[in-house]
Amino acid sequence: MTREEEKEFRQKIVETIMPVARNMTENQIRTIIQNVEKTNEDLPRGFGAMLFEQIIINKNNSLNKR
């Protein structure tokens, strides 16, 4: 992933996932990601872990800004 793609990926997480994920527990987020991985076998290996990490980072950053 190029730096530009990575930047776009992070922005999409903030725009599309974070409004919902802010009100979810880590276990709820992890369960959803695992279910998506099971039904989308074409996702790259490690994608779920990377997505989870980015969600938690964004979630913690938004809590620290309050």
Side-chain angles (χ1 to χ4, degrees):
M1 202 182 274
T2 67
R3 288 184 190 258
E4 184 63 30
E5 290 170 329
E6 190 175 318
K7 183 179 177 182
E8 287 178 32
F9 175 70
R10 288 185 177 144
Q11 187 60 37
K12 287 294 181 188
I13 290 172
V14 170
E15 293 171 2
T16 61
I17 297 173
M18 290 312 298
V20 176
R22 276 189 190 97
N23 300 314
M24 297 174 71
T25 65
E26 287 187 19
N27 284 335
Q28 290 172 319
I29 296 167
R30 188 171 282 130
T31 299
I32 290 172
I33 291 172
Q34 288 170 346
N35 288 336
V36 169
E37 285 182 310
K38 286 178 188 174
T39 59
N40 294 283
E41 296 174 0
D42 56 330
L43 289 175
R45 183 179 176 96
F47 178 80
M50 178 179 63
L51 179 58
F52 179 77
E53 180 181 276
Q54 290 301 312
I55 292 170
I56 297 305
I57 288 169
N58 278 290
K59 191 171 177 176
N60 288 336
N61 285 344
S62 69
L63 290 174
N64 289 335
K65 289 181 181 178
R66 291 183 183 179

